[in-house]
């Protein structure tokens, strides 16, 4: 061993790397398991590999056995050597099966796969300083992003985030005009519309395929009478008089978030509110050197910063911008009151009036 190497620290670090690499190598097998319904088939009762293969629609048992052992080695499923049966606990099912669970993570695995697919494009950005247009990163990054955020939205928008705003829920119950800027595939917009049927909602996004998907969702939910979706960059939205403007996990992705903040102020009716949901973060890098920050910094490197740098201005706030920087640009836009209305393990909610 070379001089200056602490063997205990080295072995601890190698142990950490083995865990990290094991998690990374689990991404494709988890995605296969979700798509083929293997986790779902295992949720009912324990099964041998042969039984699981049959439950999942007649899959090849040898592949299923190797897949199941890989998941058991990672702790994603349980294994009983006496009966050679695999099982899924209630807690594991919340992550891999229960789609409305707050910790359903299928979308996270899809997002990781999209990040890996985009690796060559982002690597070139390191050399030339340019960006990657949203939608050009990978085959369906916008689909993966929507799936990743959906569980948090399902469990927080109506239950926690909107009620934390000052008087906004009452206005929505009475009938308000709402703009959801950066709506993506429309999950956030439709959740609000379903909860407050007396209000009218418009979702805006600059990515046309996302808006097409959002319109499809609105049709399938029978909400076209009070929800519409429009293709428009945030600074080019021509409509105004909104009682509430929402932005879910998108302000930091914008090339010109300061210009967007100024434009939002002009979109609001007198007394209107602007709600900004952003990834949870401290105001200094050292505060974000933790498991959540690790996820966000990596996603920001591969998605958020390249997306912002591709656009006008290209400020590149990043997913860990922190409350102080975001609140400052909101105040610079002319909002007199900015506060953190609430927060959770992964997000903070800022309210500006």
């Amino acid at each position: 061993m070379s001089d200056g190497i602490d063997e205990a620290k080295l072995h601890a670090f190698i142990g950490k790397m083995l865990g990290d690499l094991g998690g990374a190598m689990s991404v494709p097998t988890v995605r296969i398991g979700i798509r083929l319904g293997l986790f779902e088939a295992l949720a009912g009762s324990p099964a041998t590999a042969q039984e699981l293969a049959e439950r999942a629609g007649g899959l090849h048992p040898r592949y299923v056995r190797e897949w199941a052992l890989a998941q058991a080695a990672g702790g994603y499923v349980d294994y009983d050597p006496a009966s050679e049966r695999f099982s899924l606990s209630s807690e594991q099912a919340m992550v891999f099966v229960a789609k409305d669970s707050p910790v359903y993570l299928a979308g996270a695995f899809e997002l990781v796969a999209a990040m890996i697919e985009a690796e060559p494009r982002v690597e070139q950005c390191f050399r030339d300083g340019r960006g990657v247009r949203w939608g050009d990163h990978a085959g369906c990054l916008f689909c993966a992003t929507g799936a990743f955020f959906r569980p948090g939205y399902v469990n927080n928008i109506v239950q926690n985030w909107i009620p934390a705003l000052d008087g906004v829920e009452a206005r929505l119950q009475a009938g308000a005009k709402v703009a959801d800027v950066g709506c993506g595939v429309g999950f956030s917009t439709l959740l609000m519309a379903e909860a407050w049927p007396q209000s009218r909602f418009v979702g805006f996004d600059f990515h046309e395929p996302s808006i097409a998907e959002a319109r499809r969702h609105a049709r399938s939910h029978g909400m076209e009478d009070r929800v519409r979706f429009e293709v428009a960059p945030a600074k080019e939205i021509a409509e105004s008089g909104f009682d509430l403007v929402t932005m879910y996990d998108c302000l930091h992705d914008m090339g010109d978030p300061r210009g967007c903040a100024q434009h939002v102020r002009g979109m609001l009716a007198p007394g209107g509110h602007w709600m900004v949901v952003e990834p949870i973060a401290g105001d200094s890098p050292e505060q974000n050197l933790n498991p959540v920050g690790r996820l966000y910094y990596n996603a920001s490197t591969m998605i958020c910063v390249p997306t912002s740098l591709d656009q006008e201005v290209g400020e590149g706030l990043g997913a860990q911008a922190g409350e102080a920087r975001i609140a400052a640009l909101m105040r610079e836009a002319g909002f007199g009151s900015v506060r953190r209305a609430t927060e959770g393990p992964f997000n903070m909610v800022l309210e500006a009036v």
Side-chain angles (χ1 to χ4, degrees), residues 99-113:
K99 294 183 178 180
D100 287 342
S101 156
V103 291
Y104 182 66
L105 293 179
F109 286 88
E110 293 301 316
L111 193 61
V112 171

Side-chain angles (χ1 to χ4, degrees), residues 207-219:
H207 186 236
E208 190 168 351
S210 291
I211 289 297
E213 187 71 4
R215 288 170 176 163
R216 186 186 69 79
H217 287 147
R219 285 194 299 272

Side-chain angles (χ1 to χ4, degrees), residues 125 157 255:
C125 293
I157 289 177

Side-chain angles (χ1 to χ4, degrees), residues 7-21:
E7 290 196 34
K9 287 184 177 180
L10 176 61
H11 289 308
F13 185 61
I14 294 299
K16 169 183 163 51
M17 292 306 300
L18 288 172
D20 288 353
L21 288 170

